Structures are given as C-alpha cells and as structure tokens.
Amino acid sequence: MLLRWLGVKAFNAYIESLLLKDAFERGFNVVILDWDGIYKEYLPSSNYYGGESLPSLSPSNAEVAELIADLLALSDPQRHYLEMAIDQINDFKDLPGHILQSDTDIAPALARKIRDLFSEGEKLISKTGISYKELGEKLKGISIIDLSAIENAMLKKLYAVIIINFLAKYYAENKREKLCLLLEEKYLRPALIDRIMQESNISLCNF
C-alpha cells in the first residue's frame, strides 16, 4: 500500500480535482480533507461528508491524549494528568468538567485549553463513534470530508489528525488497497503527520 500525499501548493482546486480523478481511475481510494469547503463543486459525484453528516469518530483514550497533547503543546505534567483523566470518564465530552473537579494546580489551565474542543466537538469525537476500521470501509471511492463548518480551529485540526491517524492504521492493515489523501499542510504540523505515518509503516509520496 502506498499513501499518496498531495500538498495544496501551486495547483488550484480545479486542477487538483482532475489529478484526484486520475488517481481514482488508477485504483486509489481518494480522501479529501477540505478545509474551506471548495471541492464539492468540482467533484459533485463524490461521497460528501459535511456538517451533520460528518462521521463521529471513536479514537482510543491513548490516541486522544497523545494527539491533544501534541496539538496544544501541553507540558509533561498536563499530558500525564490528561491521560489519567481520559481513562476515568465515560465520554470525551465529560473531560473538561472532570478535570475541573480536581484540586491539582494544573487542572484549571488544562480545562481551559480543552474546554472549547469538546463543547463543539461532542458529536465529532465520541466513545460511541466509529472505529478506524469502520471509517476506512466508509471512505471508498472519492470522499470529501468538508471541515469548513467546524468553527473551532483547534477542534478542526484535532478532528483532521484523528482521521489521518485512522486512515494510516486502516491502510497499514490493508496493504493491497491504495489511498490518495489530499490535505493542506499549512494547517497541520508536518512533523506530527510524519510521525503518524512512520508509526504505521506507510510510505509517503509527494506529487
């Protein structure tokens, strides 16, 4: 399996759409993380997920803790406490309130950092959502994940990174299938994406 990485740089959306159609015709599943909601116009027959139809994702406790810590640049004590708190809750939406109940010095600042993630993200990231295997099976053909309706910038990044992590795990297990993933590198830390791919033993190809 080869994960094709297409960074949005010189090409406009129309040209990119032509390249993505070509990748699909060559046997790749295509997933577009559409930051600004522009690709549906150019790929009207694609599988479209946006607004209320965005899939609810159920990452593991460890995944959520690690990705939040990386995105928010948490200190080591905050990271450690976050990991413990996630293990003690029934769903991710309960996390800020649970942290605030603690009498530790780091709790108020940590709760403030993550509060907005789960007030808007209650339906997007949930322990009752779909697994990485279910997402991989769902996103066949050409699929657009329209992120433009997610108002919180950090939640948008977290949701996108969880999708990337899910797809990396799915395609690492299903090596006969191929994925072309379109994302805008300027919104995500390349080092974090590289780490996800390396841990999944997935090759990256820029074109």
Side-chain angles (χ1 to χ4, degrees):
M1 173 267 161
L2 174 65
L3 179 70
R4 305 294 296 264
W5 174 300
L6 177 60
V8 179
K9 294 179 180 177
F11 299 123
N12 61 36
Y14 172 71
I15 299 299
E16 288 160 359
S17 298
L18 295 179
L19 291 173
L20 295 169
K21 287 179 182 177
D22 181 67
F24 172 65
E25 291 171 357
R26 293 171 183 266
F28 285 81
N29 290 315
V30 174
V31 175
I32 303 165
L33 294 180
D34 187 355
W35 221 262
D36 300 308
I38 59 176
Y39 287 90
K40 186 178 181 181
E41 174 184 355
Y42 300 105
L43 296 164
S45 60
S46 62
N47 304 312
Y48 175 81
Y49 304 95
E52 292 298 319
S53 67
L54 284 170
S56 175
L57 307 177
S58 180
S60 69
N61 291 355
E63 284 176 302
V64 171
E66 183 177 14
L67 294 175
I68 290 177
D70 285 342
L71 286 172
L72 297 180
L74 297 183
S75 66
D76 287 341
Q78 288 177 325
R79 180 188 291 256
H80 179 65
Y81 185 76
L82 177 66
E83 292 171 353
M84 292 193 302
I86 287 177
D87 285 337
Q88 296 168 359
I89 57 175
N90 293 322
D91 208 343
F92 298 120
K93 64 182 176 60
D94 303 322
L95 185 58
H98 179 80
I99 290 174
L100 280 175
Q101 293 175 7
S102 169
D103 57 0
T104 63
D105 294 338
I106 64 175
L110 179 57
R112 283 195 300 271
K113 284 187 174 184
I114 67 171
R115 179 183 57 207
D116 292 339
L117 283 178
F118 295 104
S119 59
E120 185 185 349
E122 178 178 343
K123 294 181 179 179
L124 297 177
I125 305 169
S126 170
K127 291 189 177 183
T128 60
I130 63 175
S131 67
Y132 74 91
K133 291 183 179 180
E134 291 171 305
L135 183 71
E137 293 296 329
K138 187 181 186 73
L139 302 182
K140 300 294 187 180
I142 300 178
S143 302
I144 297 173
I145 307 294
D146 185 351
L147 305 172
S148 62
I150 304 176
E151 296 182 359
N152 183 289
M154 193 56 65
L155 172 61
K156 188 181 293 191
K157 291 180 181 180
L158 177 61
Y159 186 71
V161 170
I162 292 173
I163 290 175
I164 294 168
N165 195 41
F166 271 24
L167 292 175
K169 291 199 296 183
Y170 178 82
Y171 282 90
E173 293 180 359
N174 296 272
K175 299 184 184 299
R176 293 185 178 182
E177 295 192 61
K178 300 181 291 185
L179 172 68
C180 179
L181 174 65
L182 173 66
L183 55 85
E184 299 193 43
E185 293 175 319
K186 65 181 180 180
Y187 295 116
L188 299 167
R189 289 198 296 113
L192 176 58
I193 307 306
D194 288 346
R195 179 176 61 76
I196 290 173
M197 299 307 161
Q198 289 168 3
E199 290 175 355
S200 300
N201 276 328
I202 291 179
S203 301
L204 294 178
C205 178
N206 297 298
F207 74 99

